[in-house]
Amino acid sequence: MPKISEKGLAMPASPIRKLVPYAEEAKKKGRKVYHLNIGQPDIKTPEVALEAVRNLKEDVIAYSHSAGNESYRKKLSDKYREININVDHTELLITTGGSEAISFALMSTVNPGEEVICPEPFYANYNGFSIAAGVKVVPVTSSIDSGFALPPIEEFEKKLSPATKGIIICNPNNPTGYLYSETEMKQLAVIVKKHDLYLFSDEVYREFCYDGKHHFSAMYLKGVEDNVIMMDSVSKRYSMCGARVGAMVTKNREVLDTALKFAQARLSPPSFGQIAGEAALDTSDAYFREVYDEYIERRNFMVDALNQMPGVKCPLPGGAFYTTVHLPVDDTDEFAKWILSKFEFRNQTVMMAPASGFYSTPGLGKQEVRIAYVLKKEELKNAMEVLTEALKVYPGRIA
Amino acid sequence: MPKISEKGLAMPASPIRKLVPYAEEAKKKGRKVYHLNIGQPDIKTPEVALEAVRNLKEDVIAYSHSAGNESYRKKLSDKYREININVDHTELLITTGGSEAISFALMSTVNPGEEVICPEPFYANYNGFSIAAGVKVVPVTSSIDSGFALPPIEEFEKKLSPATKGIIICNPNNPTGYLYSETEMKQLAVIVKKHDLYLFSDEVYREFCYDGKHHFSAMYLKGVEDNVIMMDSVSKRYSMCGARVGAMVTKNREVLDTALKFAQARLSPPSFGQIAGEAALDTSDAYFREVYDEYIERRNFMVDALNQMPGVKCPLPGGAFYTTVHLPVDDTDEFAKWILSKFEFRNQTVMMAPASGFYSTPGLGKQEVRIAYVLKKEELKNAMEVLTEALKVYPGRIA
């Protein structure tokens, strides 16, 4: 039997998927499982997007332009200009989800063996895309004590090597919910400029900023226009994760031309998803206000509930819909399994993402979990009760 | 400005896209351009697939399972069993087009620097996916004189090296339309078995087999079940190229598990496309008969018309909807540009794909073009007239 590739062997299995059999077992036992583990919002997709698909006019579902439908790119660039991201439709490619935008950006710019620096904990799939591209992710550790703020720039400088090709950030952050400030972004611009690096900026949670804070896009940074590659997606903004539509945006013409060649090889992004994505640009402000109000309420409730549990520490996330939480347990990988398989409270249990999967430094995150507040408040309330009770009796509880 | 990656530099621009500006210029001059260059059929997508999308029930477009919706996988494996491909729903992954199936297959099995052997001319994007994966495609040249039949197995043996990891075929073939026989497939099985190679079999044109010939899937081969990886797609079968839905199919559990990790990193295949793909499995036999009759008529007309042109040689393709044709010209790259930019007949011109882009041996294919017979007969007739007249006056005409 011929061998599997080394990349294939190195690809991490999803840290969450490992828990799936335990969750399925719990469901078989008739237990209600609250899914705090995934970034799949329960919010409805805007009606305007669904209607566009339901009113499908085409009778041949043809390839689109490899860069995406021109009408969509034009409308999307108009939208970007409204928020002062000054690009036209030739400065972006429509991609198959934000995932492909990350993949195209890395493949177009970073050689196998080269490195990108990333604050950890980070979105676990950055590892996957990096392994696929042969790229090494070098972590700079952020701390729960500062609410996962950007680590001091000196820490980035320490990680620089001749192989460093860029810095990758997610803002607002998955898995921490931290929203990078204008000051932090400008610090990144300085180091990027000084060392001639790319800044890969994943901004798929842009609209999810709380407490009156504003999102400061990497595309706003001056003097590093050719260094910045922004990755975007319709998934979270319009609760349309399954559409698989995103965008890679940059002022760097050479990067665009190169990414287009990768885009041509895979022919085109999904046609139905593009129809939905283009229509979604007309989503009303009321929709976003409602979503915002809903998330703020969930966040406030959940952060309060978590911090009331003895030994639990949860920073107040400024954006997205995640928080990375310290739990008073020996090992959250074990705890997450245990709560699904050995625990129930009123026939309910919870599924959480152990944070070890979001760190690349071995041993880190063992006392942290990522919790996504993508459930209705009533369900969150029940989930928090389950967690409270579980922590009281978990055999591996410490401090 | 930071540098572009070496892979990015090495990625070939699509051989067809280079002609796009010339085609656009011709259209601006008011000329009708017949597109013989692309595999985008004009056939209607089955109504049953379109209706499923128009009747969309979901109000949250969520991620699907990374391997694709289970209901779709089950129905698809039922369909495969009907044609004696004995797989169940755990032996396939739904992918984002056949493109991603190729990508996952290569990434999961072939290391950077290793080689796959492929009969040339071959689908140009195999190069793109190989470059992305760091894999080298080693060509074995097939000849128009044998109608692009499988080259003798000795020719494959000559190309074997310690770095050879597999053989990739497309059956029926894009760009030649050649349909590999059972005998040829069994020859491939012998070499694959003997040298412990993977056999990557791209079968997206499976339904397009003419003259009473039957498709012999690589999945039928005995004793090499763990070596065979089949790539499939809804694009051509249901004229649904834009749906971006395909499948990677194999009995090799290790390959499946590995590919699933790549699939998890990109989260899920497109939800809307999966709805259409699942519904399309109910497409009536009448649809396929109509499509078959249409293509047979087009093919017969076109092959006749081409062979009537002095100096032109066109084998009779047994499958798909392409043919690779010898033209009596110096260089088809130049001819394809010339016909778009300097020629018109009754205010019409044609766009063809120069075959050089389908060969990896430098210098080959300079007198060949790929023609896709994806237009209605009346349009094909006009296109053939244009080509006839153009060949009479092309300054670079030879022989």
Side-chain angles (χ1 to χ4, degrees):
Chain A
M1 197 155 100
K3 280 186 196 155
I4 292 298
S5 69
E6 285 155 26
K7 275 183 191 176
L9 295 172
M11 278 295 282
S14 155
I16 296 165
R17 298 267 172 197
K18 277 186 259 178
L19 294 172
V20 169
Y22 299 95
E24 281 170 3
E25 204 188 318
K27 285 175 194 171
K28 268 188 204 150
K29 287 180 196 157
R31 284 180 195 156
K32 169 78 183 166
V33 178
Y34 295 106
H35 285 273
L36 303 174
N37 56 295
I38 41 167
Q40 169 57 59
D42 62 343
I43 302 285
K44 282 188 184 168
T45 305
E47 200 51 32
V48 68
L50 297 174
E51 276 304 300
V53 173
R54 292 190 186 119
N55 292 329
L56 185 75
K57 295 284 177 295
E58 287 80 355
D59 58 7
V60 182
I61 305 305
Y63 291 123
S64 72
H65 191 293
S66 294
N69 291 325
E70 192 172 291
S71 59
Y72 182 25
R73 281 182 285 139
K74 284 188 169 164
K75 206 164 156 183
L76 182 57
S77 62
D78 289 348
K79 203 72 174 180
Y80 283 135
R81 285 196 300 275
E82 282 177 22
I83 54 168
N84 299 315
I85 295 176
N86 290 308
V87 291
D88 68 32
H89 74 284
T90 69
E91 291 166 324
L92 60 91
L93 303 181
I94 304 299
T95 56
T96 309
S99 302
E100 193 179 65
I102 299 167
S103 212
F104 283 174
L106 290 176
M107 289 284 228
S108 300
T109 59
V110 191
N111 289 320
E114 290 185 334
E115 299 169 358
V116 293
I117 299 174
C118 186
E120 68 178 353
F122 58 77
Y123 178 51
N125 287 328
Y126 293 160
N127 264 330
F129 301 122
S130 298
I131 288 169
V135 171
K136 194 179 159 199
V137 180
V138 175
V140 173
T141 309
S142 70
S143 164
I144 195 167
D145 297 322
S146 63
F148 300 105
L150 193 74
I153 287 296
E154 307 83 74
E155 296 301 311
F156 284 85
E157 301 255 2
K158 282 183 201 160
K159 301 289 178 133
L160 286 171
S161 86
T164 310
K165 200 67 182 279
I167 294 172
I168 183 163
I169 58 161
C170 179
N171 186 32
N173 193 269
N174 174 6
T176 68
Y178 186 81
L179 177 68
Y180 294 115
S181 68
E182 180 172 346
T183 308
E184 288 171 315
M185 292 301 293
K186 286 181 173 167
Q187 288 170 344
L188 285 172
V190 172
I191 181 172
V192 156
K193 179 86 178 168
K194 184 171 164 196
H195 300 282
D196 203 23
L197 305 175
Y198 286 103
L199 178 58
F200 305 98
S201 187
D202 179 345
E203 306 188 357
V204 307
Y205 299 97
R206 185 188 307 114
E207 280 70 25
F208 303 90
C209 298
Y210 310 119
D211 312 317
K213 287 177 187 158
H214 292 287
H215 184 253
F216 191 88
S217 171
M219 297 294 292
Y220 297 163
L221 295 167
K222 304 284 178 209
V224 290
E225 286 81 356
D226 279 334
N227 304 67
V228 170
I229 305 176
M230 193 250 279
M231 284 93 70
D232 208 350
S233 168
V234 306
S235 294
K236 314 295 172 169
R237 184 166 307 138
Y238 307 113
S239 195
M240 205 158 73
C241 298
R244 308 316 297 134
V245 169
M248 195 200 90
V249 186
T250 180
K251 301 295 283 186
N252 185 319
R253 185 62 54 185
E254 212 180 344
V255 170
L256 282 163
D257 290 345
T258 305
L260 182 60
K261 293 192 288 180
F262 287 95
Q264 287 171 352
R266 64 74 163 119
L267 303 168
S268 70
S271 294
F272 297 119
Q274 289 188 76
I275 291 170
E278 183 170 341
L281 291 169
D282 290 326
T283 301
S284 69
D285 290 345
Y287 174 92
F288 288 109
R289 266 197 309 275
E290 217 170 287
V291 171
Y292 177 90
D293 290 346
E294 178 72 27
Y295 275 119
I296 271 284
E297 194 185 351
R298 292 177 183 185
R299 181 199 66 163
N300 292 347
F301 167 76
M302 196 196 57
V303 172
D304 273 359
L306 285 165
N307 282 320
Q308 277 170 31
M309 299 175 202
V312 172
K313 184 165 140 186
C314 176
L316 187 72
F321 36 68
Y322 306 100
T323 180
T324 294
V325 189
H326 171 95
L327 300 184
V329 300
D330 54 350
D331 182 340
T332 49
D333 278 288
E334 292 307 315
F335 178 65
K337 270 185 228 170
W338 175 87
I339 199 167
L340 283 168
S341 55
K342 310 265 196 245
F343 183 80
E344 53 88 20
F345 177 68
R346 294 179 183 158
N347 211 24
Q348 308 165 102
T349 187
V350 299
M351 186 166 172
M352 295 165 294
S356 59
F358 303 110
Y359 285 88
S360 77
T361 303
L364 292 187
K366 283 179 96 67
Q367 291 195 289
E368 296 167 6
V369 289
R370 182 191 73 176
I371 291 182
Y373 44 102
V374 292
L375 302 179
K376 289 184 212 335
K377 198 178 141 194
E378 199 50 43
E379 295 190 294
L380 273 181
K381 194 162 164 277
N382 295 338
M384 291 300 111
E385 270 178 20
V386 171
L387 188 57
T388 304
E389 298 304 317
L391 286 171
K392 285 180 189 164
V393 297
Y394 176 56
R397 182 180 171 108
I398 52 172
Chain B
M1 198 156 100
K3 279 186 195 155
I4 292 298
S5 70
E6 286 154 25
K7 275 183 194 176
L9 295 173
M11 278 295 282
S14 155
I16 297 165
R17 297 268 172 195
K18 279 187 259 179
L19 294 172
V20 169
Y22 299 96
E24 281 170 4
E25 203 188 317
K27 284 174 194 171
K28 267 188 204 146
K29 287 181 196 155
R31 284 181 196 156
K32 169 76 182 165
V33 178
Y34 294 107
H35 284 275
L36 303 175
N37 57 294
I38 41 167
Q40 168 58 60
D42 64 342
I43 303 283
K44 282 189 184 169
T45 305
E47 199 52 30
V48 68
L50 298 174
E51 274 305 299
V53 172
R54 291 188 187 120
N55 291 330
L56 184 75
K57 294 284 176 299
E58 286 80 356
D59 58 7
V60 182
I61 305 305
Y63 291 123
S64 73
H65 191 293
S66 295
N69 291 327
E70 193 173 290
S71 58
Y72 182 25
R73 281 183 285 139
K74 284 186 168 165
K75 207 164 155 182
L76 182 57
S77 61
D78 289 348
K79 203 72 172 179
Y80 283 136
R81 285 197 300 275
E82 283 177 22
I83 53 167
N84 300 315
I85 294 175
N86 290 308
V87 292
D88 68 31
H89 74 284
T90 69
E91 292 166 323
L92 60 90
L93 302 180
I94 304 299
T95 56
T96 308
S99 303
E100 193 178 64
I102 300 167
S103 213
F104 283 174
L106 291 176
M107 290 284 228
S108 300
T109 60
V110 192
N111 289 320
E114 291 184 334
E115 300 169 358
V116 293
I117 299 174
C118 187
E120 69 179 351
F122 57 77
Y123 178 50
N125 288 328
Y126 292 160
N127 263 331
F129 300 121
S130 298
I131 289 169
V135 172
K136 193 178 159 200
V137 181
V138 175
V140 173
T141 308
S142 69
S143 164
I144 195 169
D145 297 322
S146 63
F148 300 106
L150 193 74
I153 287 295
E154 306 84 75
E155 297 301 312
F156 285 85
E157 301 256 2
K158 281 184 202 159
K159 301 289 178 132
L160 286 171
S161 88
T164 309
K165 200 66 183 282
I167 294 173
I168 184 166
I169 58 161
C170 179
N171 186 33
N173 193 269
N174 174 6
T176 68
Y178 187 80
L179 177 68
Y180 294 116
S181 67
E182 182 172 343
T183 308
E184 287 171 316
M185 292 301 291
K186 287 181 173 169
Q187 289 171 343
L188 286 172
V190 172
I191 183 172
V192 155
K193 180 84 178 170
K194 183 171 165 196
H195 299 283
D196 204 24
L197 306 174
Y198 286 104
L199 178 58
F200 306 99
S201 187
D202 179 345
E203 306 188 357
V204 307
Y205 299 98
R206 186 187 307 114
E207 280 70 25
F208 302 90
C209 298
Y210 310 119
D211 312 317
K213 287 177 186 159
H214 291 288
H215 184 255
F216 191 87
S217 171
M219 298 294 291
Y220 296 163
L221 296 167
K222 304 285 178 210
V224 289
E225 287 80 357
D226 279 334
N227 304 66
V228 170
I229 306 176
M230 193 249 279
M231 285 92 71
D232 208 349
S233 167
V234 305
S235 294
K236 315 293 172 169
R237 184 166 307 140
Y238 307 113
S239 195
M240 205 158 73
C241 299
R244 310 314 299 132
V245 169
M248 194 197 92
V249 186
T250 179
K251 300 295 283 186
N252 186 320
R253 185 63 52 185
E254 213 181 345
V255 170
L256 282 163
D257 290 345
T258 306
L260 181 61
K261 293 193 287 179
F262 288 96
Q264 286 171 352
R266 64 72 163 120
L267 303 168
S268 71
S271 294
F272 297 120
Q274 288 188 77
I275 292 170
E278 184 171 339
L281 291 170
D282 291 326
T283 301
S284 69
D285 291 345
Y287 174 91
F288 288 109
R289 265 198 308 275
E290 217 172 287
V291 171
Y292 177 89
D293 291 346
E294 177 73 26
Y295 276 120
I296 271 284
E297 193 185 354
R298 290 177 185 184
R299 182 200 65 165
N300 291 347
F301 166 76
M302 196 194 59
V303 172
D304 273 358
L306 285 165
N307 282 321
Q308 278 169 30
M309 299 176 203
V312 172
K313 183 164 141 187
C314 176
L316 186 72
F321 36 67
Y322 306 100
T323 182
T324 294
V325 188
H326 171 95
L327 300 184
V329 301
D330 54 349
D331 182 341
T332 49
D333 278 288
E334 291 309 313
F335 178 65
K337 272 186 226 168
W338 175 87
I339 199 168
L340 283 168
S341 56
K342 310 266 195 244
F343 183 79
E344 53 88 21
F345 176 69
R346 294 181 184 158
N347 211 25
Q348 309 164 102
T349 187
V350 299
M351 187 164 172
M352 295 165 294
S356 59
F358 303 109
Y359 285 88
S360 78
T361 302
L364 291 188
K366 284 180 95 70
Q367 290 195 288
E368 295 168 7
V369 289
R370 182 191 72 176
I371 291 183
Y373 44 101
V374 292
L375 302 180
K376 286 182 214 336
K377 199 178 140 191
E378 199 50 46
E379 294 189 296
L380 271 183
K381 194 163 165 278
N382 295 338
M384 290 301 110
E385 271 178 20
V386 171
L387 188 56
T388 303
E389 297 303 317
L391 285 171
K392 287 181 188 163
V393 297
Y394 177 56
R397 182 177 173 110
I398 53 172

